[in-house]
Amino acid sequence: AQSVTQLGSHVSVSEGALVLLRCNYSSSVPPYLFWYVQYPNQGLQLLLKYTSAATLVKGINGFEAEFKKSETSFHLTKPSAHMSDAAEYFCAVSVDAGGTSYGKLTFGQGTILTVHP
Amino acid sequence: KAGVTQTPRYLIKTRGQQVTLSCSPISGHRSVSWYQQTPGQGLQFLFEYFSETQRNKGNFPGRFSGRQFSNSRSEMNVSTLELGDSALYLCASSLVDSTGELFFGEGSRLTVL
């Protein structure tokens, strides 16, 4: 079984500051890892995904995440926050169970990012 | 390309009633998954359908059911509604071989009174 822990349910930064959202995972097999973003009253949108290729993954809107197996972490970063980044961010994990779990993700509890002017 | 469409967007039901939610996936996507989102439990996987067959099921009681049609559209049903079923129900579609890359609809917000 796999699980995800997001450290910090709320993160507040100033516009232009570094964004760091923390995610640790637990998985008995090599995981696939994802970050999704949810804006108010909307569904989730995929920011980026790690599927055992490069450990540093670049996503949309200037976000990137680094897979660190030794630390079982997949933290999300963005060098300079923008007001439009304010949203809730979810880390998620899945495993390749022989092609039988494509749509089944285990999500973390989410981190609400607030960006101050 | 049209996104994932969920209907209705908002609905109010009373305890004991049943509800049916509908999801139209992105054209060409044959896998449809359903998730329940609540403030307390977060996002929880309900079930996944592919080619009209349930491929995975989450840890929910039998009151929660779903189905998929030949055109990949999906419905989920909740019978004998309880107050705790109040939630945002999200549908997501994906390509067959794209693990975890889900495209979500805006959800159906169910309130049970």
Side-chain angles (χ1 to χ4, degrees):
Chain A
Q2 56 271 10
S3 65
V4 174
T5 301
Q6 291 184 238
L7 301 175
S9 58
H10 290 80
V11 170
S12 180
V13 300
S14 298
E15 192 172 19
L18 171 71
V19 175
L20 171 61
L21 305 182
R22 300 177 186 273
C23 171
N24 288 90
Y25 70 91
S26 172
S27 176
S28 57
V29 297
Y32 293 165
L33 294 161
F34 310 85
W35 276 99
Y36 281 82
V37 60
Q38 185 177 33
Y39 298 99
N41 298 316
Q42 294 188 24
L44 282 70
Q45 179 185 10
L46 179 66
L47 275 178
L48 48 80
K49 66 177 181 180
Y50 166 78
T51 55
S52 76
T55 56
L56 182 62
V57 181
K58 295 188 183 299
I60 62 172
N61 301 337
F63 285 93
E64 63 181 37
E66 186 172 9
F67 172 70
K68 292 187 177 181
K69 184 178 179 180
S70 61
E71 300 177 8
T72 61
S73 69
F74 190 57
H75 301 332
L76 181 70
T77 61
K78 182 174 180 178
S80 177
H82 191 272
M83 297 293 289
S84 61
D85 295 327
E88 188 164 15
Y89 292 79
F90 294 91
C91 182
V93 63
S94 180
V95 295
D96 182 0
T100 61
S101 64
Y102 291 132
K104 183 178 180 181
L105 297 180
T106 299
F107 285 90
Q109 288 295 323
T111 298
I112 296 173
L113 174 67
T114 302
V115 182
H116 297 287
Chain B
K1 200 177 218 184
V4 177
T5 303
Q6 291 188 246
T7 57
R9 289 291 315 280
Y10 302 90
L11 64 165
I12 300 173
K13 294 286 187 178
T14 56
R15 287 168 52 190
Q17 288 186 312
Q18 67 93 26
V19 65
T20 298
L21 309 178
S22 179
C23 172
S24 293
I26 292 173
S27 177
H29 287 193
R30 294 168 59 193
S31 172
V32 173
S33 302
W34 288 89
Y35 288 81
Q36 182 196 62
Q37 185 177 24
T38 60
Q41 299 299 316
L43 281 154
Q44 293 186 288
F45 173 78
L46 280 158
F47 26 65
E48 178 192 7
Y49 287 88
F50 171 70
S51 290
E52 302 178 64
T53 301
Q54 187 180 86
R55 187 157 64 176
N56 279 293
K57 189 178 190 305
N59 188 26
F60 279 81
R63 300 184 297 106
F64 291 81
S65 63
R67 58 178 176 168
Q68 186 181 34
F69 302 95
S70 58
N71 60 358
S72 294
R73 190 177 70 86
S74 178
E75 289 181 349
M76 67 163 284
N77 183 276
V78 187
S79 63
T80 319
L81 284 166
E82 301 176 359
L83 296 179
D85 297 332
S86 294
L88 180 66
Y89 290 88
L90 292 164
C91 169
S93 72
S94 63
L95 293 168
V96 172
D97 58 352
S98 185
T99 299
E101 190 165 353
L102 306 182
F103 294 81
F104 284 84
E106 294 185 317
S108 293
R109 185 167 295 281
L110 170 65
T111 301
V112 182
L113 302 176

